[in-house]
Amino acid sequence: MTLQALIFDVDGTLADTERDGHRLAFNAAFREFGLDWEWDVVLYGELLTITGGKERIRHYVARYRPDFVPPPDFDELVAALHQAKTRHYTQLLATGGIPLRPGVRRLLEEARQAGLSLAIATTTTPENVTALLRHSLAPDAEDWFEVIGAGDIVSHKKPAPDIYHWVLEHLGLDARACLAFEDSENGIRASLAAGLATVVTVNDYTRNHDFSGAMAVLSDLGEPGAPFQLIAGEAAGKSWVDVALLEAWHRRQAG
Ligand code: XBP
Ligand code: MG
């Protein structure tokens, strides 16, 4: 089976959006609502084990704020907080706040030229994906992706495989014709459970995660003149990820 599509996670994979993006937007929303909640860099790393912003807020209240008595309309409060967070986050992206990770633009462009389909599988809110693609990749970048699976369209977020199943179904492809790109343990658990060979690029929040089962674990996708570091797996002697390396990985996975 030939390689036909690449499926990308967003947060932490396309761009380092968590520490100086989502985290700041959550804090801005809390301030806007007069709450004294402040997620510092270390605490946010712990909170990232819970995927999804609304789920993360609920987890924080349950685990870290025993003093907070949830009002009867807590569900609405969480929804409103999360809407404000999305507004702050997309505003930050609109000012060009967050660049793509090394090699991402180059690989996406090369893959398109090679005729591979591109897709996205993420737990983040659809507006966040659109804003990142538009402002950090290209004004028309949404059109580069055949399928964008995001947020609440599935009821179980990563590490459940549901979002990957949804994307594969909409691509009309078997998992064996695709490669996934992830940055976190929850992410690779989801992609592997959907039967996808997965390439991992780590970041500061995820470098100590368990990436058992990954095709390769890299510092980043690398660029000519700025090689990746190979953390686990095999990379055919290459120092940046290109379509030829993806095809080699894909052949190896097919056995
Ligand atoms: C990472 C996440 C997201 C974001 C916040 O998603 O867990 O929840 O931190 O997004 P992925 P929302 O790596 O799968 O893209 O607040 O919009 O839920
Ligand atoms: Mg991620």
Side-chain angles (χ1 to χ4, degrees):
M1 193 176 286
T2 55
L3 177 61
Q4 292 179 62
L6 309 180
I7 309 176
F8 290 85
D9 168 51
V10 173
D11 295 304
T13 299
L14 293 184
D16 260 326
T17 47
E18 294 291 6
R19 194 191 68 182
D20 300 327
H22 289 292
R23 185 181 68 87
L24 301 183
F26 281 112
N27 286 335
F30 299 152
R31 278 197 302 277
E32 188 180 319
F33 279 68
L35 295 160
D36 68 342
W37 304 348
E38 172 84 30
W39 292 357
D40 65 27
V41 171
V42 174
L43 171 63
Y44 194 66
E46 290 162 29
L47 297 174
L48 277 175
T49 55
I50 306 300
T51 55
K54 293 185 288 296
E55 294 81 352
R56 194 168 294 147
I57 294 170
R58 289 175 177 288
H59 169 77
Y60 169 74
V61 170
R63 167 87 175 68
Y64 294 92
R65 301 307 299 233
D67 55 310
F68 182 76
V69 182
D73 60 349
F74 186 51
D75 284 354
E76 281 127 72
L77 174 63
V78 171
L81 272 171
H82 191 250
Q83 258 173 31
K85 178 260 169 178
T86 300
R87 176 167 36 80
H88 287 291
Y89 180 72
T90 51
Q91 275 168 3
L92 196 144
L93 291 174
T95 59
I98 303 188
L100 298 175
R101 295 192 63 190
V104 167
R105 170 187 299 279
R106 175 188 52 75
L107 185 63
L108 291 173
E109 284 172 349
E110 287 175 17
R112 291 182 81 207
Q113 282 205 329
L116 293 172
S117 296
L118 301 177
I120 277 175
T122 176
T123 64
T124 203
T125 301
E127 293 100 292
N128 298 347
V129 181
T130 313
L132 183 75
L133 294 179
R134 216 173 264 171
H135 300 294
S136 301
L137 182 55
D140 70 338
E142 252 176 293
D143 304 337
W144 296 19
F145 293 84
E146 201 163 306
V147 175
I148 297 183
D152 296 327
I153 50 169
V154 290
S155 43
H156 299 290
K157 293 185 175 168
K158 299 175 189 178
D162 302 28
I163 192 69
Y164 279 106
H165 285 147
W166 190 94
V167 168
L168 286 169
E169 193 187 312
H170 284 78
L171 281 171
L173 289 176
D174 190 289
R176 288 169 300 175
C178 308
L179 286 178
F181 294 78
E182 277 287 355
D183 72 302
S184 71
E185 191 169 335
N186 280 327
I188 193 172
R189 281 172 61 193
S191 57
L192 292 181
L196 287 153
T198 304
V199 178
V200 172
T201 52
V202 301
N203 58 60
D204 285 346
Y205 274 133
T206 67
R207 65 183 75 252
N208 297 320
H209 286 191
D210 180 0
F211 293 118
S212 309
M215 179 61 71
V217 182
L218 311 167
S219 55
D220 54 77
L221 294 174
E223 288 283 30
F228 59 63
Q229 279 148 31
L230 183 63
I231 298 165
E234 195 276 320
K238 298 254 183 161
S239 42
W240 65 89
V241 178
D242 58 10
V243 171
L245 178 54
L246 297 181
E247 284 170 343
W249 275 328
H250 183 252
R251 277 194 301 277
R252 194 148 63 85
Q253 172 255 356

PDB file of all heavy atoms in Angstrom, residues 9-11 18 22 26 44 51-53 56 82 85 122-125 128 158 183, ligand 1:
ATOM      1  N   ASP A   9      -1.213  16.228  14.227  1.00  0.00           N
ATOM      2  CA  ASP A   9      -1.678  16.867  15.447  1.00  0.00           C
ATOM      3  C   ASP A   9      -1.349  18.366  15.316  1.00  0.00           C
ATOM      4  O   ASP A   9      -0.552  18.760  14.457  1.00  0.00           O
ATOM      5  CB  ASP A   9      -0.932  16.242  16.641  1.00  0.00           C
ATOM      6  CG  ASP A   9      -1.126  17.023  17.910  1.00  0.00           C
ATOM      7  OD1 ASP A   9      -2.284  17.316  18.255  1.00  0.00           O
ATOM      8  OD2 ASP A   9      -0.116  17.358  18.570  1.00  0.00           O
ATOM      9  N   VAL A  10      -1.936  19.202  16.146  1.00  0.00           N
ATOM     10  CA  VAL A  10      -1.700  20.647  16.030  1.00  0.00           C
ATOM     11  C   VAL A  10      -0.816  21.158  17.175  1.00  0.00           C
ATOM     12  O   VAL A  10       0.345  21.532  16.977  1.00  0.00           O
ATOM     13  CB  VAL A  10      -3.037  21.422  15.983  1.00  0.00           C
ATOM     14  CG1 VAL A  10      -2.796  22.930  16.044  1.00  0.00           C
ATOM     15  CG2 VAL A  10      -3.798  21.058  14.718  1.00  0.00           C
ATOM     16  N   ASP A  11      -1.386  21.148  18.389  1.00  0.00           N
ATOM     17  CA  ASP A  11      -0.684  21.781  19.517  1.00  0.00           C
ATOM     18  C   ASP A  11       0.563  20.989  19.882  1.00  0.00           C
ATOM     19  O   ASP A  11       0.491  19.797  20.179  1.00  0.00           O
ATOM     20  CB  ASP A  11      -1.623  21.893  20.714  1.00  0.00           C
ATOM     21  CG  ASP A  11      -2.773  22.827  20.413  1.00  0.00           C
ATOM     22  OD1 ASP A  11      -2.496  23.980  20.050  1.00  0.00           O
ATOM     23  OD2 ASP A  11      -3.938  22.401  20.493  1.00  0.00           O
ATOM     24  N   GLU A  18       1.409  25.662  23.420  1.00  0.00           N
ATOM     25  CA  GLU A  18       0.865  25.475  24.773  1.00  0.00           C
ATOM     26  C   GLU A  18       1.350  26.525  25.772  1.00  0.00           C
ATOM     27  O   GLU A  18       0.555  27.260  26.339  1.00  0.00           O
ATOM     28  CB  GLU A  18       1.167  24.062  25.291  1.00  0.00           C
ATOM     29  CG  GLU A  18       0.468  22.947  24.513  1.00  0.00           C
ATOM     30  CD  GLU A  18      -1.045  22.913  24.692  1.00  0.00           C
ATOM     31  OE1 GLU A  18      -1.611  23.818  25.338  1.00  0.00           O
ATOM     32  OE2 GLU A  18      -1.677  21.981  24.164  1.00  0.00           O
ATOM     33  N   HIS A  22      -1.886  28.810  24.555  1.00  0.00           N
ATOM     34  CA  HIS A  22      -3.079  28.380  25.295  1.00  0.00           C
ATOM     35  C   HIS A  22      -3.006  28.789  26.771  1.00  0.00           C
ATOM     36  O   HIS A  22      -3.974  29.287  27.331  1.00  0.00           O
ATOM     37  CB  HIS A  22      -3.243  26.856  25.211  1.00  0.00           C
ATOM     38  CG  HIS A  22      -3.655  26.373  23.854  1.00  0.00           C
ATOM     39  ND1 HIS A  22      -4.888  26.642  23.316  1.00  0.00           N
ATOM     40  CD2 HIS A  22      -2.998  25.649  22.925  1.00  0.00           C
ATOM     41  CE1 HIS A  22      -4.985  26.096  22.108  1.00  0.00           C
ATOM     42  NE2 HIS A  22      -3.837  25.489  21.857  1.00  0.00           N
ATOM     43  N   PHE A  26      -5.816  30.995  28.716  1.00  0.00           N
ATOM     44  CA  PHE A  26      -6.591  30.551  29.881  1.00  0.00           C
ATOM     45  C   PHE A  26      -6.481  31.595  30.994  1.00  0.00           C
ATOM     46  O   PHE A  26      -7.492  32.005  31.584  1.00  0.00           O
ATOM     47  CB  PHE A  26      -6.072  29.194  30.410  1.00  0.00           C
ATOM     48  CG  PHE A  26      -6.531  27.988  29.631  1.00  0.00           C
ATOM     49  CD1 PHE A  26      -5.630  27.236  28.883  1.00  0.00           C
ATOM     50  CD2 PHE A  26      -7.867  27.584  29.661  1.00  0.00           C
ATOM     51  CE1 PHE A  26      -6.047  26.108  28.180  1.00  0.00           C
ATOM     52  CE2 PHE A  26      -8.292  26.452  28.963  1.00  0.00           C
ATOM     53  CZ  PHE A  26      -7.376  25.717  28.219  1.00  0.00           C
ATOM     54  N   TYR A  44       0.939  24.111  34.417  1.00  0.00           N
ATOM     55  CA  TYR A  44       0.309  23.843  33.125  1.00  0.00           C
ATOM     56  C   TYR A  44       0.795  22.522  32.528  1.00  0.00           C
ATOM     57  O   TYR A  44       0.029  21.786  31.898  1.00  0.00           O
ATOM     58  CB  TYR A  44       0.546  25.006  32.151  1.00  0.00           C
ATOM     59  CG  TYR A  44      -0.360  24.919  30.946  1.00  0.00           C
ATOM     60  CD1 TYR A  44      -1.737  25.069  31.088  1.00  0.00           C
ATOM     61  CD2 TYR A  44       0.144  24.651  29.684  1.00  0.00           C
ATOM     62  CE1 TYR A  44      -2.589  24.947  29.997  1.00  0.00           C
ATOM     63  CE2 TYR A  44      -0.688  24.539  28.580  1.00  0.00           C
ATOM     64  CZ  TYR A  44      -2.055  24.686  28.745  1.00  0.00           C
ATOM     65  OH  TYR A  44      -2.895  24.569  27.669  1.00  0.00           O
ATOM     66  N   THR A  51      -6.567  16.363  28.117  1.00  0.00           N
ATOM     67  CA  THR A  51      -6.727  17.019  26.815  1.00  0.00           C
ATOM     68  C   THR A  51      -8.072  17.742  26.758  1.00  0.00           C
ATOM     69  O   THR A  51      -9.049  17.308  27.373  1.00  0.00           O
ATOM     70  CB  THR A  51      -6.647  15.995  25.661  1.00  0.00           C
ATOM     71  OG1 THR A  51      -7.617  14.972  25.896  1.00  0.00           O
ATOM     72  CG2 THR A  51      -5.279  15.365  25.586  1.00  0.00           C
ATOM     73  N   GLY A  52      -8.076  18.853  26.022  1.00  0.00           N
ATOM     74  CA  GLY A  52      -9.292  19.645  25.884  1.00  0.00           C
ATOM     75  C   GLY A  52      -9.359  20.730  26.947  1.00  0.00           C
ATOM     76  O   GLY A  52      -9.162  20.467  28.134  1.00  0.00           O
ATOM     77  N   GLY A  53      -9.630  21.936  26.517  1.00  0.00           N
ATOM     78  CA  GLY A  53      -9.611  23.077  27.428  1.00  0.00           C
ATOM     79  C   GLY A  53     -10.708  23.048  28.486  1.00  0.00           C
ATOM     80  O   GLY A  53     -10.462  23.327  29.665  1.00  0.00           O
ATOM     81  N   ARG A  56      -9.887  20.478  30.924  1.00  0.00           N
ATOM     82  CA  ARG A  56      -8.729  20.910  31.740  1.00  0.00           C
ATOM     83  C   ARG A  56      -9.181  21.851  32.852  1.00  0.00           C
ATOM     84  O   ARG A  56      -8.694  21.761  33.977  1.00  0.00           O
ATOM     85  CB  ARG A  56      -7.716  21.587  30.803  1.00  0.00           C
ATOM     86  CG  ARG A  56      -6.340  21.785  31.396  1.00  0.00           C
ATOM     87  CD  ARG A  56      -5.352  22.172  30.310  1.00  0.00           C
ATOM     88  NE  ARG A  56      -5.170  21.088  29.373  1.00  0.00           N
ATOM     89  CZ  ARG A  56      -4.921  21.253  28.060  1.00  0.00           C
ATOM     90  NH1 ARG A  56      -4.815  22.461  27.538  1.00  0.00           N
ATOM     91  NH2 ARG A  56      -4.782  20.208  27.276  1.00  0.00           N
ATOM     92  N   HIS A  82     -14.317  29.159  28.585  1.00  0.00           N
ATOM     93  CA  HIS A  82     -13.606  28.563  27.458  1.00  0.00           C
ATOM     94  C   HIS A  82     -13.792  29.383  26.185  1.00  0.00           C
ATOM     95  O   HIS A  82     -12.865  29.530  25.385  1.00  0.00           O
ATOM     96  CB  HIS A  82     -14.055  27.109  27.256  1.00  0.00           C
ATOM     97  CG  HIS A  82     -13.174  26.385  26.292  1.00  0.00           C
ATOM     98  ND1 HIS A  82     -13.585  26.015  25.047  1.00  0.00           N
ATOM     99  CD2 HIS A  82     -11.881  25.996  26.397  1.00  0.00           C
ATOM    100  CE1 HIS A  82     -12.573  25.430  24.423  1.00  0.00           C
ATOM    101  NE2 HIS A  82     -11.549  25.393  25.221  1.00  0.00           N
ATOM    102  N   LYS A  85     -11.466  32.192  26.525  1.00  0.00           N
ATOM    103  CA  LYS A  85     -10.099  31.683  26.283  1.00  0.00           C
ATOM    104  C   LYS A  85      -9.833  31.564  24.785  1.00  0.00           C
ATOM    105  O   LYS A  85      -8.766  31.938  24.292  1.00  0.00           O
ATOM    106  CB  LYS A  85      -9.928  30.341  27.013  1.00  0.00           C
ATOM    107  CG  LYS A  85      -8.592  29.680  26.820  1.00  0.00           C
ATOM    108  CD  LYS A  85      -8.677  28.593  25.779  1.00  0.00           C
ATOM    109  CE  LYS A  85      -7.321  28.081  25.360  1.00  0.00           C
ATOM    110  NZ  LYS A  85      -7.407  26.995  24.400  1.00  0.00           N
ATOM    111  N   THR A 122      -6.950  16.828  15.914  1.00  0.00           N
ATOM    112  CA  THR A 122      -6.577  17.560  17.124  1.00  0.00           C
ATOM    113  C   THR A 122      -7.722  17.609  18.128  1.00  0.00           C
ATOM    114  O   THR A 122      -8.893  17.511  17.739  1.00  0.00           O
ATOM    115  CB  THR A 122      -6.145  18.999  16.768  1.00  0.00           C
ATOM    116  OG1 THR A 122      -5.880  19.724  17.965  1.00  0.00           O
ATOM    117  CG2 THR A 122      -7.218  19.741  15.993  1.00  0.00           C
ATOM    118  N   THR A 123      -7.375  17.818  19.391  1.00  0.00           N
ATOM    119  CA  THR A 123      -8.426  18.010  20.394  1.00  0.00           C
ATOM    120  C   THR A 123      -8.799  19.480  20.543  1.00  0.00           C
ATOM    121  O   THR A 123      -9.768  19.804  21.224  1.00  0.00           O
ATOM    122  CB  THR A 123      -7.994  17.487  21.780  1.00  0.00           C
ATOM    123  OG1 THR A 123      -6.903  18.256  22.237  1.00  0.00           O
ATOM    124  CG2 THR A 123      -7.598  16.043  21.731  1.00  0.00           C
ATOM    125  N   THR A 124      -8.026  20.358  19.939  1.00  0.00           N
ATOM    126  CA  THR A 124      -8.303  21.778  20.161  1.00  0.00           C
ATOM    127  C   THR A 124      -9.518  22.249  19.353  1.00  0.00           C
ATOM    128  O   THR A 124      -9.982  21.580  18.432  1.00  0.00           O
ATOM    129  CB  THR A 124      -7.050  22.636  19.861  1.00  0.00           C
ATOM    130  OG1 THR A 124      -7.135  23.878  20.558  1.00  0.00           O
ATOM    131  CG2 THR A 124      -6.899  22.917  18.391  1.00  0.00           C
ATOM    132  N   THR A 125     -10.022  23.410  19.712  1.00  0.00           N
ATOM    133  CA  THR A 125     -11.223  23.992  19.107  1.00  0.00           C
ATOM    134  C   THR A 125     -10.979  24.373  17.632  1.00  0.00           C
ATOM    135  O   THR A 125      -9.914  24.899  17.313  1.00  0.00           O
ATOM    136  CB  THR A 125     -11.583  25.254  19.935  1.00  0.00           C
ATOM    137  OG1 THR A 125     -11.793  24.828  21.276  1.00  0.00           O
ATOM    138  CG2 THR A 125     -12.800  25.970  19.406  1.00  0.00           C
ATOM    139  N   ASN A 128      -9.322  27.614  16.648  1.00  0.00           N
ATOM    140  CA  ASN A 128      -7.895  27.726  16.956  1.00  0.00           C
ATOM    141  C   ASN A 128      -7.040  27.187  15.811  1.00  0.00           C
ATOM    142  O   ASN A 128      -5.979  27.737  15.507  1.00  0.00           O
ATOM    143  CB  ASN A 128      -7.558  26.938  18.231  1.00  0.00           C
ATOM    144  CG  ASN A 128      -8.285  27.456  19.452  1.00  0.00           C
ATOM    145  OD1 ASN A 128      -8.858  28.538  19.432  1.00  0.00           O
ATOM    146  ND2 ASN A 128      -8.265  26.684  20.516  1.00  0.00           N
ATOM    147  N   LYS A 158      -8.427  12.608  22.651  1.00  0.00           N
ATOM    148  CA  LYS A 158      -7.196  11.844  22.853  1.00  0.00           C
ATOM    149  C   LYS A 158      -6.968  11.690  24.353  1.00  0.00           C
ATOM    150  O   LYS A 158      -7.253  12.617  25.082  1.00  0.00           O
ATOM    151  CB  LYS A 158      -6.006  12.574  22.227  1.00  0.00           C
ATOM    152  CG  LYS A 158      -6.113  12.780  20.723  1.00  0.00           C
ATOM    153  CD  LYS A 158      -4.940  13.632  20.234  1.00  0.00           C
ATOM    154  CE  LYS A 158      -5.132  14.039  18.785  1.00  0.00           C
ATOM    155  NZ  LYS A 158      -4.049  14.912  18.286  1.00  0.00           N
ATOM    156  N   ASP A 183       3.159  14.857  19.234  1.00  0.00           N
ATOM    157  CA  ASP A 183       4.203  15.386  20.125  1.00  0.00           C
ATOM    158  C   ASP A 183       4.039  14.887  21.568  1.00  0.00           C
ATOM    159  O   ASP A 183       4.863  15.224  22.404  1.00  0.00           O
ATOM    160  CB  ASP A 183       4.161  16.908  20.161  1.00  0.00           C
ATOM    161  CG  ASP A 183       2.946  17.409  20.928  1.00  0.00           C
ATOM    162  OD1 ASP A 183       1.825  17.051  20.532  1.00  0.00           O
ATOM    163  OD2 ASP A 183       3.123  18.101  21.945  1.00  0.00           O
TER     164      ASP A 183
HETATM  165  C1  XBP B   1      -3.820  19.759  22.810  1.00  0.00           C
HETATM  166  C2  XBP B   1      -4.843  20.109  23.799  1.00  0.00           C
HETATM  167  C3  XBP B   1      -5.777  21.235  23.617  1.00  0.00           C
HETATM  168  C4  XBP B   1      -5.297  22.633  23.888  1.00  0.00           C
HETATM  169  C5  XBP B   1      -6.453  23.523  24.244  1.00  0.00           C
HETATM  170  O1  XBP B   1      -4.421  19.338  21.611  1.00  0.00           O
HETATM  171  O2  XBP B   1      -4.984  19.399  24.764  1.00  0.00           O
HETATM  172  O3  XBP B   1      -6.795  20.982  24.516  1.00  0.00           O
HETATM  173  O4  XBP B   1      -4.392  22.649  24.981  1.00  0.00           O
HETATM  174  O5  XBP B   1      -7.430  23.513  23.290  1.00  0.00           O
HETATM  175  P1  XBP B   1      -3.632  18.601  20.403  1.00  0.00           P
HETATM  176  P2  XBP B   1      -8.948  23.945  23.650  1.00  0.00           P
HETATM  177  O6  XBP B   1      -2.181  18.429  20.771  1.00  0.00           O
HETATM  178  O7  XBP B   1      -4.345  17.282  20.227  1.00  0.00           O
HETATM  179  O8  XBP B   1      -3.832  19.472  19.205  1.00  0.00           O
HETATM  180  O9  XBP B   1      -8.902  24.874  24.813  1.00  0.00           O
HETATM  181  O10 XBP B   1      -9.465  24.600  22.403  1.00  0.00           O
HETATM  182  O11 XBP B   1      -9.713  22.681  23.988  1.00  0.00           O
END
